[in-house]
Amino acid sequence: MDITLQQVSYAYAKNTPFEKRALFDVDLHIPSGSYQAIIGHTGSGKSTVLQHLNALLKPTEGTIKIGDVEVKAEKRNKQLRKVRQKVGIVFQFPEHQLFDETVLKDIMFGPMNFGVPEEEAKHRAIELVNLLGLPDEVLEKSPFDLSGGQMRRVAIAGVLAMNPEVLVLDEPTAGLDPRGRKEIMDLFYRLHKEKGLTTVLVTHSMEDAARYADRIAIMHDGKCVLAGTPQEIFSDEGRLMDYRLELPQSIKFQKKVEQMMGKKLPVLCLTEEMLAEELALFLKKEREL
Ligand SMILES: Nc1ncnc2c1ncn2[C@@H]1O[C@H](COP(=O)(O)OP(=O)(O)O)[C@@H](O)[C@H]1O
Ligand SMILES: [Mg+2]
């Protein structure tokens, strides 16, 4: 499902003494099936953008098109329920939203609320618990008796249980240990590929943006200041520094190696694996000369 923001501005608490403008004329096109990362410093407007993607917030000015549904400030729209079903958001610290007596009921709640029959909802819950690497026993437990990492997985299962076409992730691995982070990021990537999902990821990790995304947008002071492929975004370190962002580790390392060798590799290496391959190729060619 294509999503397009056109000149979207947003102010919290509009027309009150507490009015706070959070977005300024944001243009962003997220093609169906793409993996879009959004990066930017804290307070730059990333979470505010995300909440527009399923019309939880409506723009104060401008338009957002979500599939064939158009959302504008002044327009009432009966189709928002449909949008909310198709666009699933995993909020920051989603485990704070768990509420039901058991994990099973918690995961089933969303789909049943949207009219999915009980058996089908239950089937999805069991499947998802397994997919997320949790043992079957958790289904009958209270979500509040689980570890933090397990609670995060249950909350993610609850969003996936809606079978969304677009999966929106707001720093989904914040606070998890490195292994849990990698497992969950790899799972999202697999779902993205296998189900043809459109994925939107807000992250502080330049490594995750470089590894998984095929497009990256930079938010800065409520504006979308730059959008492009990872190769484009990470080609200019000075510009990133203007937005208080850094290069991914693999590219930093690549630059050091290039300096030492006095020669450049032909491409920017977005992951360590890619860097290892490029270096091996380079050394092989050098030896052949
Ligand atoms: N509920 C709110 N009420 C008022 N201001 C808010 C609210 N949520 C966020 N803001 C402000 O809007 C700006 C953008 O916030 P946010 O979208 O959360 O940024 P990010 O996700 O990039 O950290 C910040 O200045 C923040 O303080
Ligand atoms: Mg945020």
Side-chain angles (χ1 to χ4, degrees):
M1 193 153 72
D2 271 41
I3 300 184
T4 310
L5 286 84
Q6 287 167 337
Q7 295 285 297
V8 168
S9 295
Y10 184 77
Y12 286 100
K14 189 157 168 71
N15 300 326
T16 76
F18 306 104
E19 178 163 332
K20 163 85 195 167
R21 269 194 84 174
L23 298 180
F24 299 83
D25 301 323
V26 172
D27 284 313
L28 182 64
H29 176 58
I30 304 172
S32 188
S34 62
Y35 195 131
Q36 171 79 57
I38 301 178
I39 59 179
H41 214 263
T42 303
S44 58
K46 305 180 298 295
S47 295
T48 307
V49 165
L50 291 196
Q51 289 171 77
H52 281 79
L53 302 182
N54 78 346
L56 216 54
L57 297 179
K58 284 166 125 191
T60 10
E61 282 165 64
T63 309
I64 167 155
K65 287 188 190 141
I66 308 166
D68 50 15
V69 177
E70 198 175 77
V71 184
K72 275 180 188 266
E74 65 279 15
K75 215 158 112 179
R76 289 192 152 264
N77 202 323
K78 294 201 191 88
Q79 292 167 298
L80 294 189
R81 202 173 146 80
K82 193 175 90 187
V83 164
R84 300 218 170 107
Q85 186 174 11
K86 287 188 176 171
V87 182
I89 301 195
V90 176
F91 289 101
Q92 263 173 301
F93 302 104
E95 57 275 19
H96 296 169
Q97 285 159 4
L98 297 173
F99 69 96
D100 225 319
E101 293 163 43
T102 67
V103 166
L104 179 65
K105 283 188 186 167
D106 208 296
I107 300 175
M108 287 169 68
F109 178 82
M112 285 184 59
N113 198 25
F114 278 90
V116 174
E118 190 171 343
E119 273 311 299
E120 163 68 14
K122 188 170 177 181
H123 177 71
R124 284 189 199 174
I126 296 170
E127 231 178 35
L128 284 164
V129 156
N130 289 325
L131 186 72
L132 283 149
L134 295 166
D136 285 340
E137 296 89 81
V138 302
L139 285 163
E140 292 307 327
K141 284 194 183 167
S142 158
F144 306 105
D145 289 336
L146 306 180
S147 74
Q150 287 178 323
M151 284 169 81
R152 179 75 55 90
R153 285 166 199 251
V154 170
I156 291 169
V159 173
L160 293 175
M162 302 289 289
N163 278 346
E165 288 176 34
V166 181
L167 188 58
V168 177
L169 308 164
D170 198 349
E171 300 181 34
T173 60
L176 298 183
D177 59 50
R179 179 151 150 233
R181 284 171 51 179
K182 173 124 192 357
E183 277 172 14
I184 288 186
M185 288 311 297
D186 284 346
L187 171 70
F188 287 137
Y189 191 67
R190 214 170 76 217
L191 290 172
H192 172 77
K193 287 287 175 199
E194 283 171 8
K195 300 201 176 200
L197 294 181
T198 307
T199 305
V200 184
L201 168 74
V202 162
T203 183
H204 274 109
S205 163
M206 297 303 120
E207 288 73 32
D208 283 352
R211 175 180 297 271
Y212 298 106
D214 40 46
R215 315 162 68 89
I216 300 178
I218 299 182
M219 291 295 300
H220 184 72
D221 289 345
K223 301 186 185 89
C224 178
V225 288
L226 202 61
T229 64
Q231 297 276 352
E232 285 162 357
I233 295 292
F234 292 126
S235 64
D236 187 343
E237 189 174 8
R239 196 173 48 187
L240 281 173
M241 282 170 68
D242 291 343
Y243 304 127
R244 292 190 284 160
L245 298 170
E246 292 195 28
L247 290 173
Q249 288 296 341
S250 60
I251 300 178
K252 282 189 192 167
F253 193 69
Q254 174 179 1
K255 293 198 169 232
K256 283 202 184 118
V257 173
E258 285 175 345
Q259 234 173 18
M260 278 165 14
M261 299 192 307
K263 286 186 182 161
K264 284 198 175 269
L265 299 175
V267 288
L268 274 185
C269 298
L270 297 171
T271 63
E272 299 106 69
E273 297 91 303
M274 189 172 167
L275 178 59
E277 266 171 45
E278 287 297 328
L279 272 175
L281 268 177
F282 177 85
L283 294 172
K284 185 160 173 266
K285 272 195 202 137
E286 289 279 293
R287 241 179 271 131
E288 280 165 5
L289 284 180

